[in-house]
Amino acid sequence: GATIAIGCEYNPATSEELTGGFLKNDYPRFYKVEDILKLFEGHIKSIIYKHDVRPTDRNTVGAVMTVFELK
């Protein structure tokens, strides 16, 4: 029955561009709310709020956020 809020930066740059090639690309990046919700698949009771980057803003830095309740 917990309520969870997760937000993260959306950045259209590649991992290599962001780190100058110094870090490996073995960590997940979240491009849309559905990417975050997949981590909790089967455990979500309801989605209270979600914010995705609009398709017209996909070439600029933005944010992805969701608030949801667990079963």
Side-chain angles (χ1 to χ4, degrees):
T3 299
I4 298 177
I6 298 175
C8 57
E9 178 184 70
Y10 165 85
N11 195 318
T14 66
S15 295
E16 186 172 318
E17 291 171 328
L18 292 172
T19 66
F22 291 108
L23 296 176
K24 293 181 181 180
N25 187 15
D26 58 355
Y27 56 90
R29 293 183 66 188
F30 304 104
Y31 296 101
K32 55 189 176 187
V33 169
E34 293 304 318
D35 296 335
I36 296 170
L37 295 176
K38 283 181 188 177
L39 298 172
F40 298 88
E41 194 169 39
H43 301 283
I44 298 172
K45 179 179 179 182
S46 64
I47 298 170
I48 299 166
Y49 174 81
K50 67 182 198 173
H51 170 78
D52 277 311
V53 175
R54 287 183 271 173
T56 56
D57 294 334
R58 296 244 179 225
N59 58 351
T60 60
V61 175
V64 176
M65 182 184 179
T66 185
V67 180
F68 57 95
E69 185 179 14
L70 294 179
K71 293 179 183 177

